[in-house]
Amino acid sequence: MVAASLSTPTAAAGAAPGGWVDALLANAAGGDTGSADSLAAIRARAAQALAQTPLPSRRVEAWRFTDLAPLTALSPTLLSAAPAAQPETAAGSLRLSLDGHSDPLAGINLPAGLEPISGDELNATLGQVLAATGSTELWPVLLNGATAQKVLALRVRGPVATTLELVSDAGAGEGILSLRLLLVLEPEASLEVLQVHRSGGANLTSVVLEARLGEGAELRHGLLAPGAATGCLLATVAVEQATGSRYSGVSAHGGWALGRLEPRLVQREGAAHGALKALQLADGRQISDTHSQMVFEGPDGRLEQLHKAVADGQGRSVFNGAVQVPRAAQRTDAAQLSRNLLLSDRARIDTKPELEIVADDVRCAHGATVSRLEQDELFYLQSRGIAADQAARLLLRGFCEEVLQELPEAARPWQPLASLLGEQGR
Amino acid sequence: MIRPDAPVLLEIRDLTARVEDQPILKGVSLTIRAGEIHAVMGRNGSGKSTLSKVLAGHPAYTVTGGTVLYKGEDLLSLEPELRARAGLFLGFQYPVEIPGVSNLEFLRVATNARRAGKGEEELDTFAFEDLVRERLQVVQMDPAFLERSVNEGFSGGEKKRNEILQMALLEPLVAVLDETDSGLDIDALRIVAGGVNHLAGPDNATLLITHYQRLLDVITPDYVHVMAAGRILRTGGKELALELEERGYDWVDAELAATERTPAEVG
C-alpha cells in the first residue's frame, strides 16, 4: 500500500482537515483498479469537486451545529468490511450484504420483479435522482462519489412481496466504507426495503441511496443505523417521485460519534405522497443530525413528517426540516412535527423547521416540542414498585417505539431499540 | 372487620406536609389495623388527596413533621418504589397515560417488582399472562386493554378498572384509593367496588378517600374520618358517612370554625 504510507504524514496533520480529504483522495486513487466500472466517471468527477470544495465548517449554515471533527479524526483510507455476525433473516425477506468491494448479488437469486441495472443504462441513470433533488454537490455525496467502488442498482417491476434487506457492518476496521445504491421503481411497482448499517469501530459508513418512483409506485423504506462510539455515518437518501407515487421512510439512528442523515425528496409534478418518520439518539458526546428536504414541484402533494430525538449525556441532536412549496405547488398539504426529549442538563437539542412557501393555497403545519420526562409519569411507575431509573428507561422506550414500530418487519431480528440504546452485545 | 388485637399496619402521627410553600396537612393522626376498611371524607381542598400522595411518596409534597410507621417501620424515609414493593398501593384519582409503554409489560414489571419485595420469584412472560388473565376477571376487563399503551385513550371507567387490576396483581397490604369513584357511572362503580371488596381480607387494609357516600353504599367502611383544613376533625362508624350525606358539609365548617377559635382545647 504505497499510497497509504505516502499519505500518512498528511493524515496525521489533524490541524489541517483539508489535508484529510487530500489524503483520502490519494488513497482512493491508489485503491482504484482503473477498470472502466460504472462508477469510474462519477469517481473522477466527484474527486475533482471534492478537492476543490472546502471541508464543511460550522460557518456554513447546513453544518452550523455539526462538527466534523469526529470524522476527520478517522483514518483517510478505504475500508473493505469483513463478514460480520448477523441475526437470522426474517421470514419473507432477502438480505444482501454490502461490504464495499464484492458483488452483493453474487450467488443470489433475485425474487420476481427485481432485476439488476447495468451497462449504459446504469451509466445514464446513476446520479439523476441526486440531481433532481439538488443533492449532487452535497459534501457527503461528493465524499461518497469519490470513494464508492461498487453500486447496487435494481429495477423493480410490479409488486415485490419480498422485503429487500441491504446490510452493512463496518466492524472494527479503520477507514471509510462507501456504499452506493440505486432503485428504479417502474410505474405501479411496489417494494419494501430495509437498510441496516452498523459499525463497531473508528470508521465512516458513507451511503447514498437514489430511488426513482414511477407513477403510482410505492416504496416503503426503513433505515436502521445503530453506531459505534468512535464511528461516523453519513447517509443520503434521495427520492424522486412521479404523480400518484407513495414514499414512506422510517429511519432510526444513534450511537455514532457523528451520525447524519439527509433524506431529500422531490415530487416532480406534485400529487404524490411522502411520509418521513425518524428517531435519532445522542448520548455521551455523540452528534445525531438529520437534515431533511422536501420539494414540491407541482400541485396536490402531501408530506407527513414526524421527527423525534433524544439527547442525553453531553449529546447533541440537530434537526433541520426544509419544505419548499413554490408557486406551482398549489393545494400542497404538508405537516411536520419535531418532538424532542432532553434527558440531561448538558445535552443539547437544535431543531429548526425551514418552510419556504410561495404558493398561496396550501396547508403547511409545523411544530416543535422539547421536554423532559414527565414527573407524573415517573411517579406513577415508581408508585407501582418500578425503580426510578427503570421507570425512566420505560418512558424512553415508549418515546422511541412510536417510530421504531413503523420500521419494516424485517428490522425485528436486528432488535432496533436495544441496538440503538447499546443494550445488546455485538 | 374490626379486631382490636389485629396488627397495626399503618400508624400516622401528627403528620404535617406542604406543597411548594403552602401547608396542606396540619397534623393528621390515624391508625389502621389489618382487616379494616377506613374512609376519609371531606370537601375538595381538605387535604385528603394530599394525604394519599404523601403516603405514596409523591416528590411534589414535602413532609414537615410527624411520623408514619408502616408495619412498625418508618415509611417516609423510603423511596416511592420501595413503599410499593413493601405492599403500599395508591390508586390514583387521575391515572396517568403513558404512550408507547404497553400495559401488559407495565403490569408485568410492576408485578415482578412487588414479588421481589415479597421475596418471591419473578414470573416469566407466560406465567404472568396466565396470572393477569385470571385477575382481569376481578374487574371484568377486556383483555384487549392489555395490548394498549398504559391508560392511553382509556375512558375514565377503564382507567379505574386498570387501577384495580393493578391492585389485584400487586396484592397490597395497605391500599389507598384516592377518589376511585370519581367519574364512574353506576355500572363501573359497582364493578370497581366489587373488585375492592373482593381484594379486601383479614390481612390487609383499605383506605378509601372519597367525596361522596355512594361508594360507601357498596363498600362498607369500619371507620369514617372527616377531614377539614388538613386535619381529621371527627371519626366515627359508617353512620358518620350517612350523617354527612344527610346534613352536608356545612356543620363541618361550623365545627372547624369553633376549633380554630379555641385551638388550645383541641387534642
Side-chain angles (χ1 to χ4, degrees), chain B residues 72-88:
Chain B
E73 303 205 9
D74 180 18
L75 179 75
L76 300 175
S77 65
L78 296 178
E79 293 294 316
E81 60 266 31
L82 297 179
R83 301 181 194 194
R85 287 181 209 173
L88 182 82

mmCIF file with all atom_site columns, all heavy atoms in Angstrom, chain B residues 72-88:
data_model
loop_
_atom_site.group_PDB
_atom_site.id
_atom_site.type_symbol
_atom_site.label_atom_id
_atom_site.label_alt_id
_atom_site.label_comp_id
_atom_site.label_asym_id
_atom_site.label_entity_id
_atom_site.label_seq_id
_atom_site.pdbx_PDB_ins_code
_atom_site.Cartn_x
_atom_site.Cartn_y
_atom_site.Cartn_z
_atom_site.occupancy
_atom_site.B_iso_or_equiv
_atom_site.pdbx_formal_charge
_atom_site.auth_seq_id
_atom_site.auth_comp_id
_atom_site.auth_asym_id
_atom_site.auth_atom_id
_atom_site.pdbx_PDB_model_num
ATOM 1   N N   . GLY B 1 72 ? -44.684 -0.941 61.536 1.00 0.00 ? 72 GLY B N   1
ATOM 2   C CA  . GLY B 1 72 ? -43.739 -0.631 62.592 1.00 0.00 ? 72 GLY B CA  1
ATOM 3   C C   . GLY B 1 72 ? -42.461 0.052  62.131 1.00 0.00 ? 72 GLY B C   1
ATOM 4   O O   . GLY B 1 72 ? -41.621 0.418  62.942 1.00 0.00 ? 72 GLY B O   1
ATOM 5   N N   . GLU B 1 73 ? -42.311 0.244  60.793 1.00 0.00 ? 73 GLU B N   1
ATOM 6   C CA  . GLU B 1 73 ? -41.078 0.869  60.313 1.00 0.00 ? 73 GLU B CA  1
ATOM 7   C C   . GLU B 1 73 ? -41.376 2.207  59.657 1.00 0.00 ? 73 GLU B C   1
ATOM 8   O O   . GLU B 1 73 ? -42.480 2.438  59.156 1.00 0.00 ? 73 GLU B O   1
ATOM 9   C CB  . GLU B 1 73 ? -40.380 -0.076 59.330 1.00 0.00 ? 73 GLU B CB  1
ATOM 10  C CG  . GLU B 1 73 ? -40.101 -1.406 59.988 1.00 0.00 ? 73 GLU B CG  1
ATOM 11  C CD  . GLU B 1 73 ? -38.945 -2.155 59.357 1.00 0.00 ? 73 GLU B CD  1
ATOM 12  O OE1 . GLU B 1 73 ? -38.257 -1.569 58.513 1.00 0.00 ? 73 GLU B OE1 1
ATOM 13  O OE2 . GLU B 1 73 ? -38.759 -3.325 59.731 1.00 0.00 ? 73 GLU B OE2 1
ATOM 14  N N   . ASP B 1 74 ? -40.359 3.044  59.637 1.00 0.00 ? 74 ASP B N   1
ATOM 15  C CA  . ASP B 1 74 ? -40.512 4.394  59.088 1.00 0.00 ? 74 ASP B CA  1
ATOM 16  C C   . ASP B 1 74 ? -40.815 4.326  57.587 1.00 0.00 ? 74 ASP B C   1
ATOM 17  O O   . ASP B 1 74 ? -39.998 3.866  56.791 1.00 0.00 ? 74 ASP B O   1
ATOM 18  C CB  . ASP B 1 74 ? -39.215 5.175  59.339 1.00 0.00 ? 74 ASP B CB  1
ATOM 19  C CG  . ASP B 1 74 ? -39.303 6.586  58.782 1.00 0.00 ? 74 ASP B CG  1
ATOM 20  O OD1 . ASP B 1 74 ? -40.431 7.058  58.533 1.00 0.00 ? 74 ASP B OD1 1
ATOM 21  O OD2 . ASP B 1 74 ? -38.243 7.205  58.582 1.00 0.00 ? 74 ASP B OD2 1
ATOM 22  N N   . LEU B 1 75 ? -41.987 4.785  57.222 1.00 0.00 ? 75 LEU B N   1
ATOM 23  C CA  . LEU B 1 75 ? -42.383 4.749  55.810 1.00 0.00 ? 75 LEU B CA  1
ATOM 24  C C   . LEU B 1 75 ? -41.779 5.919  55.044 1.00 0.00 ? 75 LEU B C   1
ATOM 25  O O   . LEU B 1 75 ? -41.383 5.802  53.887 1.00 0.00 ? 75 LEU B O   1
ATOM 26  C CB  . LEU B 1 75 ? -43.919 4.813  55.694 1.00 0.00 ? 75 LEU B CB  1
ATOM 27  C CG  . LEU B 1 75 ? -44.473 4.803  54.261 1.00 0.00 ? 75 LEU B CG  1
ATOM 28  C CD1 . LEU B 1 75 ? -44.380 3.407  53.653 1.00 0.00 ? 75 LEU B CD1 1
ATOM 29  C CD2 . LEU B 1 75 ? -45.926 5.278  54.219 1.00 0.00 ? 75 LEU B CD2 1
ATOM 30  N N   . LEU B 1 76 ? -41.695 7.076  55.697 1.00 0.00 ? 76 LEU B N   1
ATOM 31  C CA  . LEU B 1 76 ? -41.374 8.305  54.966 1.00 0.00 ? 76 LEU B CA  1
ATOM 32  C C   . LEU B 1 76 ? -39.940 8.348  54.450 1.00 0.00 ? 76 LEU B C   1
ATOM 33  O O   . LEU B 1 76 ? -39.629 9.133  53.567 1.00 0.00 ? 76 LEU B O   1
ATOM 34  C CB  . LEU B 1 76 ? -41.670 9.522  55.861 1.00 0.00 ? 76 LEU B CB  1
ATOM 35  C CG  . LEU B 1 76 ? -43.143 9.620  56.301 1.00 0.00 ? 76 LEU B CG  1
ATOM 36  C CD1 . LEU B 1 76 ? -43.329 10.770 57.266 1.00 0.00 ? 76 LEU B CD1 1
ATOM 37  C CD2 . LEU B 1 76 ? -44.062 9.783  55.087 1.00 0.00 ? 76 LEU B CD2 1
ATOM 38  N N   . SER B 1 77 ? -39.079 7.504  55.008 1.00 0.00 ? 77 SER B N   1
ATOM 39  C CA  . SER B 1 77 ? -37.696 7.520  54.533 1.00 0.00 ? 77 SER B CA  1
ATOM 40  C C   . SER B 1 77 ? -37.516 6.664  53.282 1.00 0.00 ? 77 SER B C   1
ATOM 41  O O   . SER B 1 77 ? -36.452 6.648  52.689 1.00 0.00 ? 77 SER B O   1
ATOM 42  C CB  . SER B 1 77 ? -36.764 7.015  55.642 1.00 0.00 ? 77 SER B CB  1
ATOM 43  O OG  . SER B 1 77 ? -37.051 5.659  55.915 1.00 0.00 ? 77 SER B OG  1
ATOM 44  N N   . LEU B 1 78 ? -38.573 5.950  52.884 1.00 0.00 ? 78 LEU B N   1
ATOM 45  C CA  . LEU B 1 78 ? -38.454 5.054  51.722 1.00 0.00 ? 78 LEU B CA  1
ATOM 46  C C   . LEU B 1 78 ? -38.792 5.771  50.413 1.00 0.00 ? 78 LEU B C   1
ATOM 47  O O   . LEU B 1 78 ? -39.697 6.608  50.366 1.00 0.00 ? 78 LEU B O   1
ATOM 48  C CB  . LEU B 1 78 ? -39.409 3.864  51.865 1.00 0.00 ? 78 LEU B CB  1
ATOM 49  C CG  . LEU B 1 78 ? -39.173 2.895  53.034 1.00 0.00 ? 78 LEU B CG  1
ATOM 50  C CD1 . LEU B 1 78 ? -40.245 1.807  53.026 1.00 0.00 ? 78 LEU B CD1 1
ATOM 51  C CD2 . LEU B 1 78 ? -37.785 2.269  52.936 1.00 0.00 ? 78 LEU B CD2 1
ATOM 52  N N   . GLU B 1 79 ? -38.057 5.415  49.355 1.00 0.00 ? 79 GLU B N   1
ATOM 53  C CA  . GLU B 1 79 ? -38.412 5.894  48.015 1.00 0.00 ? 79 GLU B CA  1
ATOM 54  C C   . GLU B 1 79 ? -39.789 5.338  47.649 1.00 0.00 ? 79 GLU B C   1
ATOM 55  O O   . GLU B 1 79 ? -40.185 4.272  48.147 1.00 0.00 ? 79 GLU B O   1
ATOM 56  C CB  . GLU B 1 79 ? -37.386 5.388  46.990 1.00 0.00 ? 79 GLU B CB  1
ATOM 57  C CG  . GLU B 1 79 ? -35.998 5.977  47.145 1.00 0.00 ? 79 GLU B CG  1
ATOM 58  C CD  . GLU B 1 79 ? -35.984 7.473  46.866 1.00 0.00 ? 79 GLU B CD  1
ATOM 59  O OE1 . GLU B 1 79 ? -36.604 7.893  45.875 1.00 0.00 ? 79 GLU B OE1 1
ATOM 60  O OE2 . GLU B 1 79 ? -35.373 8.218  47.656 1.00 0.00 ? 79 GLU B OE2 1
ATOM 61  N N   . PRO B 1 80 ? -40.504 6.037  46.750 1.00 0.00 ? 80 PRO B N   1
ATOM 62  C CA  . PRO B 1 80 ? -41.860 5.566  46.391 1.00 0.00 ? 80 PRO B CA  1
ATOM 63  C C   . PRO B 1 80 ? -41.886 4.108  45.943 1.00 0.00 ? 80 PRO B C   1
ATOM 64  O O   . PRO B 1 80 ? -42.799 3.363  46.324 1.00 0.00 ? 80 PRO B O   1
ATOM 65  C CB  . PRO B 1 80 ? -42.258 6.491  45.234 1.00 0.00 ? 80 PRO B CB  1
ATOM 66  C CG  . PRO B 1 80 ? -41.412 7.699  45.384 1.00 0.00 ? 80 PRO B CG  1
ATOM 67  C CD  . PRO B 1 80 ? -40.143 7.279  46.073 1.00 0.00 ? 80 PRO B CD  1
ATOM 68  N N   . GLU B 1 81 ? -40.872 3.703  45.151 1.00 0.00 ? 81 GLU B N   1
ATOM 69  C CA  . GLU B 1 81 ? -40.917 2.332  44.627 1.00 0.00 ? 81 GLU B CA  1
ATOM 70  C C   . GLU B 1 81 ? -40.743 1.301  45.747 1.00 0.00 ? 81 GLU B C   1
ATOM 71  O O   . GLU B 1 81 ? -41.281 0.201  45.678 1.00 0.00 ? 81 GLU B O   1
ATOM 72  C CB  . GLU B 1 81 ? -39.880 2.123  43.520 1.00 0.00 ? 81 GLU B CB  1
ATOM 73  C CG  . GLU B 1 81 ? -38.431 2.342  43.913 1.00 0.00 ? 81 GLU B CG  1
ATOM 74  C CD  . GLU B 1 81 ? -37.950 3.758  43.618 1.00 0.00 ? 81 GLU B CD  1
ATOM 75  O OE1 . GLU B 1 81 ? -38.787 4.697  43.684 1.00 0.00 ? 81 GLU B OE1 1
ATOM 76  O OE2 . GLU B 1 81 ? -36.756 3.927  43.320 1.00 0.00 ? 81 GLU B OE2 1
ATOM 77  N N   . LEU B 1 82 ? -39.995 1.687  46.805 1.00 0.00 ? 82 LEU B N   1
ATOM 78  C CA  . LEU B 1 82 ? -39.791 0.738  47.905 1.00 0.00 ? 82 LEU B CA  1
ATOM 79  C C   . LEU B 1 82 ? -41.057 0.617  48.750 1.00 0.00 ? 82 LEU B C   1
ATOM 80  O O   . LEU B 1 82 ? -41.367 -0.449 49.282 1.00 0.00 ? 82 LEU B O   1
ATOM 81  C CB  . LEU B 1 82 ? -38.597 1.167  48.750 1.00 0.00 ? 82 LEU B CB  1
ATOM 82  C CG  . LEU B 1 82 ? -37.268 1.163  47.973 1.00 0.00 ? 82 LEU B CG  1
ATOM 83  C CD1 . LEU B 1 82 ? -36.116 1.625  48.861 1.00 0.00 ? 82 LEU B CD1 1
ATOM 84  C CD2 . LEU B 1 82 ? -36.971 -0.228 47.412 1.00 0.00 ? 82 LEU B CD2 1
ATOM 85  N N   . ARG B 1 83 ? -41.789 1.717  48.868 1.00 0.00 ? 83 ARG B N   1
ATOM 86  C CA  . ARG B 1 83 ? -43.072 1.653  49.579 1.00 0.00 ? 83 ARG B CA  1
ATOM 87  C C   . ARG B 1 83 ? -44.003 0.680  48.844 1.00 0.00 ? 83 ARG B C   1
ATOM 88  O O   . ARG B 1 83 ? -44.701 -0.136 49.460 1.00 0.00 ? 83 ARG B O   1
ATOM 89  C CB  . ARG B 1 83 ? -43.719 3.029  49.634 1.00 0.00 ? 83 ARG B CB  1
ATOM 90  C CG  . ARG B 1 83 ? -42.834 4.061  50.329 1.00 0.00 ? 83 ARG B CG  1
ATOM 91  C CD  . ARG B 1 83 ? -43.496 5.420  50.394 1.00 0.00 ? 83 ARG B CD  1
ATOM 92  N NE  . ARG B 1 83 ? -42.492 6.428  50.768 1.00 0.00 ? 83 ARG B NE  1
ATOM 93  C CZ  . ARG B 1 83 ? -42.764 7.658  51.167 1.00 0.00 ? 83 ARG B CZ  1
ATOM 94  N NH1 . ARG B 1 83 ? -44.029 8.057  51.251 1.00 0.00 ? 83 ARG B NH1 1
ATOM 95  N NH2 . ARG B 1 83 ? -41.807 8.511  51.465 1.00 0.00 ? 83 ARG B NH2 1
ATOM 96  N N   . ALA B 1 84 ? -44.003 0.804  47.496 1.00 0.00 ? 84 ALA B N   1
ATOM 97  C CA  . ALA B 1 84 ? -44.885 -0.063 46.699 1.00 0.00 ? 84 ALA B CA  1
ATOM 98  C C   . ALA B 1 84 ? -44.473 -1.516 46.836 1.00 0.00 ? 84 ALA B C   1
ATOM 99  O O   . ALA B 1 84 ? -45.317 -2.394 47.000 1.00 0.00 ? 84 ALA B O   1
ATOM 100 C CB  . ALA B 1 84 ? -44.848 0.365  45.230 1.00 0.00 ? 84 ALA B CB  1
ATOM 101 N N   . ARG B 1 85 ? -43.164 -1.759 46.800 1.00 0.00 ? 85 ARG B N   1
ATOM 102 C CA  . ARG B 1 85 ? -42.699 -3.146 46.891 1.00 0.00 ? 85 ARG B CA  1
ATOM 103 C C   . ARG B 1 85 ? -43.008 -3.745 48.256 1.00 0.00 ? 85 ARG B C   1
ATOM 104 O O   . ARG B 1 85 ? -43.194 -4.954 48.385 1.00 0.00 ? 85 ARG B O   1
ATOM 105 C CB  . ARG B 1 85 ? -41.193 -3.212 46.634 1.00 0.00 ? 85 ARG B CB  1
ATOM 106 C CG  . ARG B 1 85 ? -40.856 -2.990 45.179 1.00 0.00 ? 85 ARG B CG  1
ATOM 107 C CD  . ARG B 1 85 ? -39.359 -3.078 44.966 1.00 0.00 ? 85 ARG B CD  1
ATOM 108 N NE  . ARG B 1 85 ? -38.974 -2.242 43.837 1.00 0.00 ? 85 ARG B NE  1
ATOM 109 C CZ  . ARG B 1 85 ? -37.729 -2.009 43.480 1.00 0.00 ? 85 ARG B CZ  1
ATOM 110 N NH1 . ARG B 1 85 ? -36.731 -2.555 44.154 1.00 0.00 ? 85 ARG B NH1 1
ATOM 111 N NH2 . ARG B 1 85 ? -37.468 -1.244 42.442 1.00 0.00 ? 85 ARG B NH2 1
ATOM 112 N N   . ALA B 1 86 ? -43.045 -2.859 49.270 1.00 0.00 ? 86 ALA B N   1
ATOM 113 C CA  . ALA B 1 86 ? -43.353 -3.342 50.616 1.00 0.00 ? 86 ALA B CA  1
ATOM 114 C C   . ALA B 1 86 ? -44.852 -3.586 50.794 1.00 0.00 ? 86 ALA B C   1
ATOM 115 O O   . ALA B 1 86 ? -45.270 -4.119 51.816 1.00 0.00 ? 86 ALA B O   1
ATOM 116 C CB  . ALA B 1 86 ? -42.850 -2.350 51.647 1.00 0.00 ? 86 ALA B CB  1
ATOM 117 N N   . GLY B 1 87 ? -45.658 -3.162 49.800 1.00 0.00 ? 87 GLY B N   1
ATOM 118 C CA  . GLY B 1 87 ? -47.083 -3.500 49.876 1.00 0.00 ? 87 GLY B CA  1
ATOM 119 C C   . GLY B 1 87 ? -48.023 -2.323 50.068 1.00 0.00 ? 87 GLY B C   1
ATOM 120 O O   . GLY B 1 87 ? -49.195 -2.503 50.358 1.00 0.00 ? 87 GLY B O   1
ATOM 121 N N   . LEU B 1 88 ? -47.503 -1.109 49.878 1.00 0.00 ? 88 LEU B N   1
ATOM 122 C CA  . LEU B 1 88 ? -48.392 0.051  49.925 1.00 0.00 ? 88 LEU B CA  1
ATOM 123 C C   . LEU B 1 88 ? -48.833 0.359  48.496 1.00 0.00 ? 88 LEU B C   1
ATOM 124 O O   . LEU B 1 88 ? -48.010 0.400  47.585 1.00 0.00 ? 88 LEU B O   1
ATOM 125 C CB  . LEU B 1 88 ? -47.661 1.257  50.520 1.00 0.00 ? 88 LEU B CB  1
ATOM 126 C CG  . LEU B 1 88 ? -48.523 2.510  50.655 1.00 0.00 ? 88 LEU B CG  1
ATOM 127 C CD1 . LEU B 1 88 ? -49.359 2.431  51.927 1.00 0.00 ? 88 LEU B CD1 1
ATOM 128 C CD2 . LEU B 1 88 ? -47.662 3.769  50.684 1.00 0.00 ? 88 LEU B CD2 1
#
